[in-house]
Amino acid sequence: MKPEANSSPWNRRDFPEAAREALAAEPLPTAPFEHSQTRRNVRHATDIIQAKRNAVVAELPEWQALRSAGAAIRAHTLEHLDHYLLEFEANCVRRGGHVHWAADAADARRLVLEILAPHAPREVIKIKTMTSEEIGLNACLEEHGIHPVETDLAELIIQLGHDRPSHFVVPALHKSRGQIRDLFASAMHRPELTDSPEELAAAARSYLRQKFLTTPVAISGANFLLADTGGVCIVESEGNGRMCLTLPDVLVTVVGIEKVLPCFQDLEVFLQTLPRSATGERMNPYNSIWSGTPAGDGPREFHVILLDNGRSPILADAESRQTLRCIRCAACLNACPVYHQTGGHAYESVYAGPIGAILTPQLHAMHDAQSLPYASSLCGACYEVCPVEINIPEVLIHLRSQVVQQQQSTLTGSLGLWNIAMKSAAFLMQDGGRLGAAVRLAQTAQAPLVSRNGFIEWMPGPLSGWTKTRDLPALPAESFRAWWRRTRSAQPATPAASEPHHE
Amino acid sequence: MNNQIQPGDSRQRILARIAASLGRDPAIAAASAAYAVLPRHYRATAATPPAQSISRFLDRLHEYNAACVRVASEAGIAAAIAAVLAARSQSGLAVVSGIPPAWLPPGFNFPLANPLTAEELDRQPGILTACAVAIAETGSLVLQSGPRQGLRLHTLVPDHHLCIVFESQLVATVPEAFPRLDPNLPTTFISGPSATADIEMTRIKGVHGPRSLHVLLVAD
Ligand code: SF4
């Protein structure tokens, strides 16, 4: 199933082109400063989250046991996905909720509009939701005269700046406080604002308070659905989520079908692994769990839209099915040397980073975003941090071979060398030694990389990033720093900023 | 919108696609047997001495910038509340239903929160609740809708939350909290005052939820 074309700001270009622009390898006359600032902001933010994440993971003696349990629970759920969705539906309905099923993005948008119609809202308040971005909900609501008000601080920054999220836990991490100050000062008519983070947060609090108290309809995503209770769990920091979940009369939750867990008690695993992986906190400030419409507490009308939109076919491939275990913690983004350099926008995808590189092309049934499986150096850092043990490098190799197979039928032989590299890599991967295989793959894969839209121009950076953290046989000798100076001499970076964080 | 699909159709289509992808009939394979044997090698309980849990809990609250006062017995709650309010120059705070009158010190206002609208709550200086369970490892308070713990909006709209935790309600780890919860009640985990790290990854206390969180940890 190929999602319909829409006016989405995503998927306009393939990764190499967008990454080059993000890195400004061919400096854009319009925005070179903007891009280097963005790069600094991304590096700063990912460095901080990574360091915090590593510290709170290291202190938990059973981290590996929690990862394995999380992986097993998610894998089990996917194997019985229809069973658990039906159980969730029955329990949610029994507790007063309404459950809707959306086969694709158009279906989901239509459902939201139908649910909203009797209430005729002029505005709705929203909690950060990736599924809303995935189905292009905001543009659709605007077209129908309904103004969506983003209430997450980062989403508010994105919305006021007519920007796109670049990270799915900290969507505005590419913005500095000075940039945020300028946005707020003009959008909220507060010229006196300074760039103190406390003052900016207080400005958002007073800007949104009246909206929370008066807007009758809210739209959310969800972190987890609980089959045994019909429950929904939302994990957040600011309290804007709790406002949206409790104050309005009507709540609509749009959630991917893969987000279900068998039992309420399974949260004991994910409420340990998700906050530590996502924000490097032992626990985020607020988790909300509720089912249906509990008497006297919260919205009187509650709808869940279960969104497929390309997910169910992914279950068919035993190797890439693990993609759907993802709990969207974004640890793989923060750990990824490629993301570290390019930021999220280069992926031209709602889901950026390593998980985006495997999820997006599959959601598009491999008809689109085919360059994304190549947006990785296969260093394995994403797999190491993933709290549900998704072997992203393995899935990347698998998807690359699918892309090559597709292209072989159209461009016979033009990528023959690449094809051989992928096949040998797949062979090596099956025989243990994933990392060793990745090294050999990197060496073998260079030639085809050169021929793919100049990919080699940015590959050496990430590649050199992992040689420094691991004891490996020699790889291309040029260090990231040297490469950076050679290709980017116009903008010398400071040593601290130019080196991947984990050296 | 063109290409309209009837809701029932989508449900059938999705379920059929899942079954086809998983390579079996839509007839449901037995899930519960497989679920029962999933590996769970993490600590379900930890033999943590209470004193260690208490000191960890206090450390966590301190890190979150939440204030905590220890109270020797239930009889000392009223005096402890009076001290907190006096220190904040606060004339009182709203209380949820079920709070024992003996907890409330004389000389302050304690309006009942339950009949108040969200706008009225917004004008209250604070809210007093108890909790269902507290978790030392993560410095979390867990509240479930009902007597003494109020409704979800009660601990959200006012700017100050004062929460009574008995030492017997404190568990060491996250998994130990779950058997003490009713899975059917609306539940909120509160770990520190509301915060954001969205501006240059600085944890800033207080966005939309209460900006001040006070815990009275009561020996029992
Ligand atoms: S793939 Fe793993 S690390 Fe990446 S967002 Fe998903 S759960 Fe987190």
Side-chain angles (χ1 to χ4, degrees):
Chain A
M1 183 193 61
K2 182 175 179 175
E4 77 289 359
N6 59 25
S7 55
S8 158
W10 303 103
N11 295 317
R12 294 174 305 192
R13 299 164 301 175
D14 63 5
F15 183 84
E17 191 192 333
R20 258 205 310 277
E21 183 187 310
L23 293 171
E26 294 151 347
L28 300 168
T30 49
F33 168 77
E34 179 76 11
H35 281 281
S36 67
Q37 165 115 39
T38 298
R39 226 170 28 233
R40 272 199 304 278
N41 296 343
V42 169
R43 277 197 297 252
H44 173 74
T46 50
D47 280 353
I48 291 179
I49 313 178
Q50 270 238 101
K52 287 170 63 189
R53 178 257 169 214
N54 292 345
V56 294
V57 163
E59 73 178 21
L60 213 56
E62 69 250 69
W63 181 254
Q64 289 306 332
L66 285 167
R67 271 184 91 207
S68 307
I73 294 168
R74 295 293 298 130
H76 164 84
T77 314
L78 294 172
E79 271 167 42
H80 303 274
L81 188 58
D82 42 6
H83 168 79
Y84 287 118
L85 286 171
L86 289 168
E87 188 183 350
F88 167 80
E89 177 186 50
N91 285 318
C92 179
V93 168
R94 187 171 56 81
R95 319 280 308 249
H98 302 270
V99 176
H100 313 264
W101 302 67
D104 56 28
D107 207 11
R109 291 193 299 265
R110 178 186 61 76
L111 281 164
V112 171
L113 291 172
E114 280 178 15
I115 293 165
L116 298 190
H119 307 282
R122 291 179 45 219
E123 275 190 341
V124 295
I125 45 178
K126 287 187 68 201
I127 323 172
K128 181 176 81 178
T129 139
M130 297 304 297
T131 42
S132 159
E133 189 77 28
E134 182 185 325
I135 65 174
L137 185 58
N138 282 5
C140 161
L141 291 172
E142 294 278 14
E143 266 171 41
H144 290 79
I146 303 167
H147 177 58
V149 179
E150 294 290 353
T151 64
D152 185 81
L153 185 53
E155 290 291 334
L156 182 66
I157 294 165
I158 300 288
Q159 190 178 39
L160 294 178
H162 307 287
D163 201 348
R164 292 178 297 163
S166 67
H167 187 282
F168 45 80
V169 170
V170 229
L173 94 175
H174 58 289
K175 290 285 188 209
S176 71
R177 64 168 86 177
Q179 293 169 316
I180 297 166
R181 182 262 155 209
D182 293 347
L183 263 177
F184 279 17
S186 74
M188 299 174 187
H189 310 291
R190 300 273 303 268
E192 81 288 358
L193 273 181
T194 73
D195 68 357
S196 132
E198 287 76 15
E199 212 178 301
L200 295 171
R205 180 182 170 100
S206 58
Y207 179 74
L208 288 172
R209 180 60 55 136
Q210 252 346 83
K211 300 254 185 239
F212 287 135
L213 291 172
T214 57
T215 310
V217 181
I219 294 176
S220 83
N223 292 94
F224 304 104
L225 302 177
L226 309 172
D228 66 339
T229 60
V232 181
C233 175
I234 290 184
V235 168
E236 55 144 346
S237 293
E238 297 168 18
N240 62 307
R242 294 180 66 197
M243 292 280 181
C244 293
L245 303 178
T246 49
L247 295 184
D249 297 327
V250 182
L251 172 62
V252 185
T253 296
V254 185
V255 54
I257 52 171
E258 82 281 20
K259 288 289 181 73
V260 67
L261 295 177
C263 294
F264 175 77
Q265 185 147 4
D266 292 323
L267 289 173
E268 71 184 22
V269 173
F270 300 101
L271 290 185
Q272 293 195 77
T273 53
L274 177 57
R276 283 175 205 256
S277 301
T279 51
E281 293 173 295
R282 298 186 181 96
M283 192 67 89
N284 47 287
Y286 298 130
N287 303 320
S288 298
I289 307 154
W290 78 97
S291 33
T293 49
D297 190 343
R300 284 194 295 267
E301 194 180 316
F302 173 50
H303 299 264
V304 176
I305 298 177
L306 299 171
L307 177 70
D308 185 341
N309 202 30
R311 287 162 173 79
S312 55
I314 301 175
L315 292 169
D317 187 325
E319 205 155 340
S320 47
R321 182 188 298 169
Q322 56 183 313
T323 309
L324 295 179
R325 284 187 216 156
C326 176
I327 57 171
R328 305 283 188 269
C329 71
C332 57
L333 278 66
N334 304 329
C336 177
V338 175
Y339 179 89
H340 207 69
Q341 293 305 327
T342 62
H345 291 159
Y347 294 80
E348 288 286 327
S349 152
V350 175
Y351 303 101
I355 180 63
I358 60 172
L359 178 61
T360 304
Q362 294 186 83
L363 286 177
H364 293 232
M366 303 303 290
H367 292 305
D368 211 346
Q370 287 161 327
S371 64
L372 282 185
Y374 297 89
S376 164
S377 65
L378 301 174
C379 73
C382 46
Y383 176 42
E384 273 171 42
V385 297
C386 178
V388 286
E389 295 182 333
I390 300 175
N391 192 331
I392 294 177
E394 184 183 278
V395 179
L396 280 166
I397 299 286
H398 184 67
L399 296 181
R400 286 180 191 185
S401 71
Q402 287 184 15
V403 172
V404 170
Q405 273 165 24
Q406 280 181 1
Q407 286 173 339
Q408 270 182 333
S409 53
T410 50
L411 308 162
T412 311
S414 73
L415 285 168
L417 227 179
W418 180 250
N419 191 15
I420 290 162
M422 286 303 109
K423 281 194 174 137
S424 60
F427 173 74
L428 289 164
M429 290 287 189
Q430 283 158 12
D431 189 25
R434 182 173 51 79
L435 202 52
V439 174
R440 288 185 287 277
L441 170 74
Q443 289 164 336
T444 324
Q446 278 188 48
L449 282 174
V450 177
S451 66
R452 273 191 68 87
N453 296 336
F455 237 55
I456 200 76
E457 287 173 26
W458 57 270
M459 284 292 273
L463 285 170
S464 77
W466 48 252
T467 60
K468 303 230 171 109
T469 55
R470 294 173 180 84
D471 194 12
L472 292 176
L475 265 161
E478 188 181 31
S479 76
F480 174 72
R481 212 182 286 203
W483 167 79
W484 189 261
R485 291 221 182 85
R486 179 172 57 75
T487 54
R488 306 276 315 114
S489 52
Q491 295 177 3
T494 62
S498 68
E499 294 297 324
H501 149 77
H502 41 54
E503 294 181 13
Chain B
M1 239 153 291
N2 48 23
N3 211 353
Q4 280 224 353
I5 306 159
Q6 290 312 303
D9 292 349
S10 289
R11 185 174 183 276
Q12 290 318 315
R13 268 174 60 190
I14 294 169
L15 289 169
R17 265 193 320 230
I18 292 171
S21 289
L22 293 172
R24 56 171 165 73
D25 293 335
I28 303 305
S32 58
Y35 179 79
V37 296
L38 292 177
R40 292 176 191 265
H41 300 302
Y42 52 89
R43 285 176 298 172
T45 59
T48 315
Q52 194 179 316
S53 286
I54 289 173
S55 74
R56 176 154 293 179
F57 185 56
L58 297 176
D59 282 352
R60 300 297 192 243
L61 290 175
H62 181 75
E63 271 184 50
Y64 292 145
N65 228 322
C68 184
V69 176
R70 297 191 65 181
V71 180
S73 72
E74 185 169 352
I77 292 177
I81 291 176
V84 168
L85 293 178
R88 292 175 56 87
S89 312
Q90 215 166 290
S91 63
L93 77 184
V95 299
V96 298
S97 67
I99 293 289
W103 290 6
L104 305 177
F108 297 92
N109 300 320
F110 295 104
L112 190 61
N114 294 59
L116 301 181
T117 64
E119 286 82 0
E120 288 163 341
L121 273 172
D122 193 31
R123 292 193 289 273
Q124 291 296 321
I127 184 81
L128 173 68
T129 71
C131 69
V133 57
I135 306 168
E137 175 63 41
T138 57
S140 306
L141 312 168
V142 189
L143 274 71
Q144 298 205 292
S145 293
R148 291 193 180 194
Q149 299 170 51
L151 304 175
R152 287 177 291 169
L153 83 167
H154 291 153
T155 53
L156 174 65
V157 176
D159 206 8
H160 175 218
H161 178 197
L162 180 54
C163 186
I164 310 290
V165 181
F166 289 95
E167 287 179 7
S168 61
Q169 294 181 304
L170 184 63
V171 297
T173 65
V174 173
E176 284 171 283
F178 276 80
R180 298 193 182 206
L181 297 174
D182 178 347
N184 295 310
L185 290 176
T187 303
T188 309
F189 284 62
I190 298 173
S191 309
S194 89
T196 181
D198 277 342
I199 301 172
E200 294 191 354
M201 302 313 296
T202 317
R203 182 166 168 141
I204 307 158
K205 185 169 97 165
V207 192
H208 302 294
R211 285 183 280 200
S212 306
L213 176 64
H214 263 92
V215 174
L216 300 188
L217 183 60
V218 183
D220 63 337

